[in-house]
Amino acid sequence: MEIFGSTFDDSVFSESRDRASVSVSSYSPKLCESEWFCQSEALDTDDSLEKQKVYKFRGDLAVRRGDYQKALDAYSSCLQWIADNNLTIRRDVLEGMARCCTRLGQRERALHLTELLSKEASNTCHLTSLLLLKVSIFQHFGAVESSVCVLQQLCSLLPFNPWHWLSLGQTCEQLLGRSPGAAEEQEAGQVEEEEEEEEEFSQDRIWLKACACFIRTRLLLRILQQQQSSFVLRRSESALQLMEEALRRLQPGEPRLQALTEVMSEDLVPEKMREDYQDGESLSSVSLQSFRERWWDKVLLRGRGASQGTGTDTET
């Protein structure tokens, strides 16, 4: 009995001259002038794909030049010519439209476009791009509390990415000294339980969350430093200096610093941090509740237990 795959076709070993020759037709590449898509005759075609390209290129060029209204118009026209199965280009155009709306001060329309994107998010990369887009929109309009909520989802999605934790810590620090909701109007649905919103964004809790995020960032960067070099290593070293300065400003005190370090390092084990496990959580599990259950509830519990440390005490 022959083992599957153990025999070969003799033609594989035949001389090249014995094989049938395949004629290749001549190929003439298409030559395009610079910014050819800006010409009016570029749209003189019945090919929907060609029209899609023209409008997409016009939008990209307008964004590069800072003409966001012109870019928005071009992207809107492009959207009409995108095939239903071309989800990649559709997502790219919708994101471009959302960023243009943000620059033009059209907050509601920008957030509406993110909702359209969320319905088509089918993997970790899609959701990561969507959450980063929402963060940029909220930060542009000064909606710091909403930015915190979205960054918490990012940290739940990619728990071993130090830069998301750094962004969350820095955003929390921006809220210190402000009353909850003082500089923004909360979007419906951004905070899961509105009755707990004031407590969630109290100064004590925000201070404690900032400390925990900076500690988590420092832990992750120290681990990653072991396999870094060149400019990547220098970037991590600069970020670590920022962490030390931030913690000196916040003054968590040694007992609380140790307690928070224990909480934020519990899942930092080689088995969980392998690249195979860093593809993010399932889309359905990425929520504010996920962040609370994995870290925040423990941070509150340990923070209260270490309340004898220096710095601002957590609420009781």
Side-chain angles (χ1 to χ4, degrees):
M1 182 177 66
E2 295 179 347
I3 301 175
F4 180 75
S6 62
T7 59
F8 300 93
D9 190 336
D10 291 340
S11 63
V12 175
F13 303 99
S14 63
E15 296 293 335
S16 59
R17 63 177 178 271
D18 296 334
R19 298 180 186 178
S21 60
V22 179
S23 60
V24 179
S25 59
S26 61
Y27 169 72
S28 299
K30 181 180 178 180
L31 300 178
C32 299
E33 299 179 4
S34 176
E35 299 181 9
W36 60 272
F37 47 85
C38 294
Q39 302 173 7
S40 57
E41 55 267 25
L43 291 172
D44 295 340
T45 177
D46 295 329
D47 188 347
S48 60
L49 179 59
E50 195 68 16
K51 289 185 177 182
Q52 169 203 300
K53 292 179 181 178
V54 169
Y55 284 122
K56 177 66 164 60
F57 292 159
R58 287 181 179 182
D60 293 344
L61 181 62
V63 168
R64 184 176 181 180
R65 292 175 173 175
D67 191 343
Y68 298 107
Q69 184 59 60
K70 185 176 181 179
L72 181 59
D73 294 339
Y75 286 143
S76 299
S77 299
C78 176
L79 201 60
Q80 304 174 21
W81 297 100
I82 299 176
D84 294 337
N85 60 348
N86 197 345
L87 298 180
T88 301
I89 295 297
R90 175 178 168 81
R91 291 185 60 82
D92 192 19
V93 170
L94 286 174
E95 181 174 342
M97 292 175 64
R99 295 189 183 279
C100 289
C101 289
T102 302
R103 291 285 189 163
L104 294 170
Q106 302 175 14
R107 172 174 170 166
E108 297 303 321
R109 187 179 179 186
L111 291 175
H112 173 69
L113 290 166
T114 63
E115 291 304 315
L116 295 179
L117 283 167
S118 67
K119 295 177 181 179
E120 300 177 2
S122 59
N123 56 48
T124 301
C125 292
H126 289 172
L127 190 54
T128 301
S129 298
L130 173 62
L131 293 175
L132 289 172
L133 174 62
K134 294 177 74 172
V135 168
S136 67
I137 293 173
F138 287 133
Q139 290 181 342
H140 180 84
F141 291 103
V144 187
E145 293 176 10
S146 296
S147 298
V148 168
C149 295
V150 179
L151 284 167
Q152 288 177 180
Q153 295 179 50
L154 262 175
C155 290
S156 296
L157 179 67
L158 299 171
F160 305 123
N161 186 312
W163 308 111
H164 297 329
W165 287 97
L166 172 59
S167 296
L168 178 56
Q170 291 175 330
T171 307
C172 287
E173 196 173 13
Q174 292 180 33
L175 286 173
L176 294 178
R178 295 172 40 172
S179 58
E184 65 178 284
E185 178 183 353
Q186 285 293 315
E187 290 293 324
Q190 287 302 316
V191 180
E192 290 185 340
E193 301 175 358
E194 293 186 2
E195 63 274 11
E196 295 183 0
E197 181 178 330
E198 185 174 351
E199 181 183 11
E200 182 72 17
F201 289 98
S202 67
Q203 291 294 289
D204 290 337
R205 288 199 172 201
I206 286 296
W207 174 84
L208 188 59
K209 188 172 292 185
C211 291
C213 291
F214 288 138
I215 290 171
R216 174 82 171 187
T217 304
R218 184 171 67 176
L219 289 167
L220 288 168
L221 287 174
R222 286 177 175 173
I223 294 173
L224 293 175
Q225 271 189 312
Q226 302 173 14
Q227 50 189 340
Q228 292 176 339
S229 61
S230 187
F231 66 93
V232 179
L233 178 59
R234 290 195 294 271
R235 184 190 181 197
S236 295
E237 291 173 344
S238 298
L240 281 170
Q241 292 179 1
L242 291 177
M243 295 307 94
E244 297 300 334
E245 294 171 3
L247 290 172
R248 279 197 294 269
R249 288 194 303 270
L250 296 173
Q251 298 179 343
E254 190 58 35
R256 185 176 285 119
L257 184 64
Q258 182 176 353
L260 294 179
T261 300
E262 292 176 359
V263 172
M264 304 311 290
S265 62
E266 285 179 352
D267 63 333
L268 301 184
V269 294
E271 291 75 14
K272 291 186 177 181
M273 294 187 67
R274 287 208 317 262
E275 188 173 349
D276 297 343
Y277 290 87
Q278 295 193 40
D279 194 31
E281 302 294 321
S282 64
L283 302 184
S284 60
S285 69
V286 179
S287 63
L288 301 182
Q289 189 64 30
S290 174
F291 184 89
R292 292 192 184 107
E293 292 175 353
R294 294 178 65 175
W295 295 289
W296 186 229
D297 290 344
K298 297 177 183 178
V299 166
L300 281 176
L301 181 62
R302 301 283 183 88
R304 292 192 182 105
S307 59
Q308 289 79 13
T310 59
T312 306
D313 287 335
T314 55
E315 56 195 353
T316 58

